[in-house]
Amino acid sequence: MKPKDYVSDLKVYEPGKPIEEVARELGFDDVADILKVASNENELGPSPLAVEAMREAIPEMHRYPDGGAFYLKRALAEKLSVEPENLLFGCGSNELIVFLCHVFMERGKNLVMGAEAFAVYFLANALYQGETLRVPMPDHVHDLDAMLAAITPDTRLVAICNPNNPTGTMVSPAAIDAFIEKLPDHVVAVFDEAYFEVMPDAMKPDVLKHIRAGKENIIVLRTFSKAYGLAGLRIGYAVGHPELINLLNKVRQPFNVNLMAQAAARAALDDVTHIVETREMIFQGLEFFERELPKLGVEVVPSGANFVLIKTGNGRAVFEKLQKRKVIVRPMDPYGLPDHVRVTIGTPRQNEATRAALKDALARN
Ligand SMILES: *Cc1c(COP(=O)(O)O)cnc(C)c1O
């Protein structure tokens, strides 16, 4: 074999172990005892309307999906007050990040992102040999002025995750508008709004208004994985100018979003109750952690998402201690935050279980 050198040099993404396997290794008999709060999943489960739609879709599984996602696109366009031509679906919004890099990145070009921001941007960029410029994030917040200043003539993409994963931090709507105003034409700004549906209303950015007004070099990414509770189906979407959407469409496989996912997403869009309940659970959980965890002597970074970043000291050791106490969190050393862990908000009972395990783990340091 003679693979390309740069491909040989890439690292294979290490998936987390299934919890059944973790349970077996640690000698726990019942997987149900294990609390996995490591992946920002919705602990309320999928939208019940989506579950019903998936049941109805089962007899159609011998069919290929609609490659244009016609009905889903129409429903979403109406919900967002945009045109169907403004929309593109991906196998998770992760796939849309790969499309963006496929279209814009190559050797000699760079992508600008936050130093503590979502790693998929770096990974997708590496697939196309792009350089990644990481901009420091004071207090774990994206510094939009510094990101603008980091842009060079070779910059093609700048990524802003808002709220950011894994820090949970947000930038204000006014700061976003000012950033868009100053964005150079040769750069496409990606606004990753994976947690948009659970954000506090006052912090919700309105990037779509710029897209409705015809701005060409900005794109919004959202997903059904988080608030909608459909992470296992893999479906996300992009909103952008038709010309930009068209470019991304050129590198898309015809059937990238499966039939089950399209059916579920369409139903989930109508499930207002599920989103309201999800938001209530998140707000309640964030308040609980922000109130209770500092009593344990740890720092909680204020979050606008369905997770919190916690400064515990030695995040890897805390992760291991929590795992022995049947709570799986995410250590943050891969993000350059060795003193932190990230914890997903769950139900009140789960949050209390996480708090109690953390208290116990820290007491026996
Ligand atoms: C979870 C997440 C995504 C969503 O990924 P999917 O592929 O849609 O599941 C995208 N961006 C950020 C910042 C995320 O945290």
Side-chain angles (χ1 to χ4, degrees):
M1 293 193 288
K2 289 190 176 297
K4 300 176 207 166
D5 287 341
Y6 84 90
V7 173
S8 299
D9 292 344
L10 295 173
K11 290 200 182 66
V12 173
Y13 179 80
E14 285 288 341
K17 277 183 209 142
I19 51 175
E20 289 78 4
E21 203 48 32
V22 175
R24 202 184 53 76
E25 284 177 14
L26 295 173
F28 305 142
D29 353 307
D30 195 353
V31 185
D33 291 347
I34 295 188
L35 175 57
K36 180 170 169 265
V37 281
S39 301
N40 304 342
E41 294 152 343
N42 185 342
E43 292 301 332
L44 283 185
S47 144
L49 295 186
V51 171
E52 191 47 42
M54 286 189 272
R55 279 212 183 88
E56 281 170 26
I58 290 171
E60 299 304 314
M61 282 304 132
H62 57 305
R63 304 287 180 204
Y64 278 102
D66 168 13
F70 182 85
Y71 294 108
L72 176 59
K73 205 176 270 182
R74 205 166 63 178
L76 183 60
E78 190 172 332
K79 190 180 164 84
L80 300 178
S81 304
V82 298
E83 300 303 318
E85 296 72 37
N86 290 121
L87 298 174
L88 186 72
F89 292 92
C91 181
S93 56
N94 275 331
E95 190 187 35
L96 298 163
I97 299 170
V98 175
F99 292 171
L100 281 161
C101 291
H102 197 156
V103 169
F104 290 103
M105 301 313 304
E106 60 186 336
R107 199 148 90 189
K109 303 296 186 283
N110 68 65
L111 174 151
V112 173
M113 66 182 283
E116 301 166 8
F118 194 48
V120 172
Y121 287 90
F122 165 76
L123 297 172
N125 191 21
L127 291 179
Y128 300 95
Q129 296 182 278
E131 188 189 349
T132 301
L133 306 183
R134 290 168 177 273
V135 179
M137 296 171 56
D139 293 328
H140 312 294
V141 182
H142 277 104
D143 182 342
L144 297 186
D145 287 331
M147 292 179 86
L148 280 172
I151 288 172
T152 74
D154 290 324
T155 302
R156 291 294 173 268
L157 295 172
V158 51
I160 296 138
C161 301
N162 184 38
N164 181 49
N165 180 9
T167 61
T169 50
M170 298 173 282
V171 281
S172 74
I176 298 258
D177 288 340
F179 176 89
I180 290 173
E181 186 81 27
K182 292 181 224 152
L183 181 71
D185 290 342
H186 73 281
V187 180
V188 171
V190 186
F191 293 95
D192 189 324
E193 299 181 349
Y195 303 93
F196 182 80
E197 299 80 6
V198 300
M199 288 178 85
D201 285 326
M203 287 303 277
K204 276 191 176 179
D206 190 1
V207 179
L208 296 191
K209 75 180 174 206
H210 300 282
I211 292 168
R212 286 184 209 106
K215 183 85 177 156
E216 288 175 18
N217 59 331
I218 56 177
I219 192 160
V220 170
L221 302 184
R222 291 192 192 154
T223 180
F224 287 92
S225 296
K226 305 286 162 57
Y228 290 104
L230 299 173
L233 281 178
R234 314 304 305 125
I235 175 165
Y237 62 91
V239 193
H241 190 278
E243 236 170 85
L244 176 51
I245 293 294
N246 195 40
L247 283 168
L248 301 178
N249 230 334
K250 292 181 187 204
V251 299
R252 181 179 72 86
Q253 295 297 308
F255 303 118
N256 65 321
V257 178
N258 72 70
L259 198 163
M260 190 72 88
Q262 290 188 34
R266 215 176 131 201
L269 281 180
D270 291 333
D271 200 341
V272 179
T273 309
H274 180 254
I275 292 290
V276 168
E277 287 171 2
T278 298
R279 280 171 68 86
E280 276 167 12
M281 178 183 76
I282 305 303
F283 293 159
Q284 204 267 349
L286 285 173
E287 198 191 74
F288 173 78
F289 280 139
E290 283 167 16
R291 185 181 67 235
E292 294 299 325
L293 296 191
K295 295 179 189 167
L296 308 180
V298 300
E299 270 173 52
V300 177
V301 177
S303 169
N306 68 346
F307 59 85
V308 274
L309 184 70
I310 307 170
K311 188 173 184 188
T312 54
N314 200 344
R316 179 73 42 188
V318 169
F319 155 75
E320 272 158 22
K321 286 178 183 166
L322 286 173
Q323 189 167 264
K324 291 204 186 89
R325 290 162 177 82
K326 305 186 180 179
V327 176
I328 303 178
V329 300
R330 186 64 61 93
M332 286 288 116
D333 43 323
Y335 281 86
L337 296 165
D339 287 333
H340 294 73
V341 296
R342 191 193 66 197
V343 175
T344 305
I345 307 296
T347 61
R349 241 188 76 235
Q350 292 172 328
N351 298 337
E352 171 50 30
T354 303
R355 187 202 64 84
L358 188 60
K359 183 175 182 198
D360 193 43
L362 293 169
R364 284 156 221 240
N365 241 339

